[in-house]
Amino acid sequence: RKEVEQDPGPFNVPEGATVAFNCTYSNSASQSFFWYRQDCRKEPKLLMSVYSSGNEDGRFTAQLNRASQYISLLIRDSKLSDSATYLCVVNSATSGTYKYIFGTGTRLKVLA
Amino acid sequence: NAGVTQTPKFRVLKTGQSMTLLCAQDMNHEYMYWYRQDPGMGLRLIHYSVGEGTTAKGEVPDGYNVSRLKKQNFLLGLESAAPSQTSVYFCASSYSTSSDTQYFGPGTRLTVL
């Protein structure tokens, strides 16, 4: 089983739709979680961190479910500009080590 | 601020040739990373550095070497390129490895023939 798993998609949604992605992780000791966005042929950029209590940034909501070991990203009122690949990132580092694991990404296409 | 820059942007090598990829950051970050990204696979860490003069192996270090002689620069070397090293290489930096954002450079597209 991969340490971080995402549905690769693509998710094709019309403008204005609400879409949600999940990401599962295998290490229950994982400490921090992030969503990055990557546009085609560009570098990844942080979209938002994921906090235990859940957090929202405009049209984007991120949630963490430690019991079931997954994080989610909800996008409301989708825009054409939201078309991108969304990478789930899990930090499982322990003292003195580095373990920042990227998922393979979920591709979103927002259609006019 | 330029953020994180990488040179070159594109390169084509023949098997067995060597090259160095340069990463530079102007954010005074302590931590720097080299990743490779291949189709169908997540970003995989090659090597990283937690400060000037220090380096450590990541998930896929074989065939690569790195150096961090200056805080702002992190070099990735391929001594004898192989077709399996055809990939997109991203450099990133962060203030720390805990919960800090990683800032990525624009990437280097390397093809090894």
Side-chain angles (χ1 to χ4, degrees):
Chain A
R1 181 187 173 187
K2 288 184 180 178
E3 291 190 74
V4 176
E5 292 199 75
Q6 295 183 251
D7 181 339
F11 283 59
N12 296 323
V13 302
E15 265 188 298
T18 295
V19 62
F21 313 133
N22 281 346
C23 166
T24 58
Y25 61 95
S26 60
N27 186 347
S28 59
S30 299
Q31 299 148 1
S32 49
F33 310 86
F34 311 88
W35 284 102
Y36 277 71
R37 170 191 169 130
Q38 186 173 25
D39 293 299
C40 188
R41 303 178 76 84
K42 298 286 189 181
E43 71 273 22
K45 293 183 180 178
L46 180 70
L47 178 66
M48 56 198 305
S49 301
V50 185
Y51 303 124
S52 297
S53 55
N55 47 301
E56 189 174 306
D57 182 1
R59 299 181 292 109
F60 298 85
T61 300
Q63 292 196 312
L64 167 63
N65 185 317
R66 283 196 182 272
S68 299
Q69 294 183 204
Y70 74 87
I71 65 172
S72 63
L73 178 68
L74 180 78
I75 305 175
R76 290 181 298 278
D77 188 22
S78 299
K79 311 290 185 192
L80 293 175
S81 57
D82 294 333
S83 296
T85 297
Y86 291 84
L87 308 177
C88 165
V89 184
V90 175
N91 181 13
S92 302
T94 56
S95 176
T97 69
Y98 175 88
K99 200 161 190 183
Y100 210 74
I101 307 297
F102 284 79
T104 54
T106 297
R107 193 170 168 204
L108 171 66
K109 291 184 181 179
V110 180
L111 308 171
Chain B
N1 286 350
V4 180
T5 58
Q6 292 182 233
T7 51
K9 288 186 169 54
F10 303 93
R11 187 71 186 268
V12 178
L13 289 179
K14 293 181 179 177
T15 296
Q17 286 185 317
S18 63
M19 78 164 294
T20 301
L21 282 66
L22 171 63
C23 175
Q25 53 94 4
D26 61 3
M27 296 175 282
N28 202 34
H29 285 166
E30 289 292 335
Y31 298 78
M32 297 187 74
Y33 318 85
W34 275 108
Y35 293 93
R36 60 178 289 174
Q37 187 174 38
D38 302 292
M41 306 187 78
L43 284 138
R44 292 181 294 167
L45 182 67
I46 304 171
H47 286 280
Y48 65 102
S49 168
V50 300
E52 183 179 316
T54 71
T55 62
K57 293 181 180 179
E59 181 185 355
V60 288
D62 294 342
Y64 306 95
N65 56 74
V66 288
S67 64
R68 183 105 181 263
L69 299 178
K70 293 183 179 180
K71 184 177 183 178
Q72 63 268 34
N73 295 337
F74 195 28
L75 278 62
L76 178 71
L78 285 72
E79 290 184 346
S80 180
S84 60
Q85 294 177 305
T86 294
S87 189
V88 180
Y89 291 85
F90 287 104
C91 175
S93 71
S94 69
Y95 181 71
S96 78
T97 59
S98 56
S99 301
D100 279 6
T101 302
Q102 292 198 12
Y103 295 86
F104 284 81
T108 295
R109 293 184 178 276
L110 175 65
T111 300
V112 183
L113 302 175

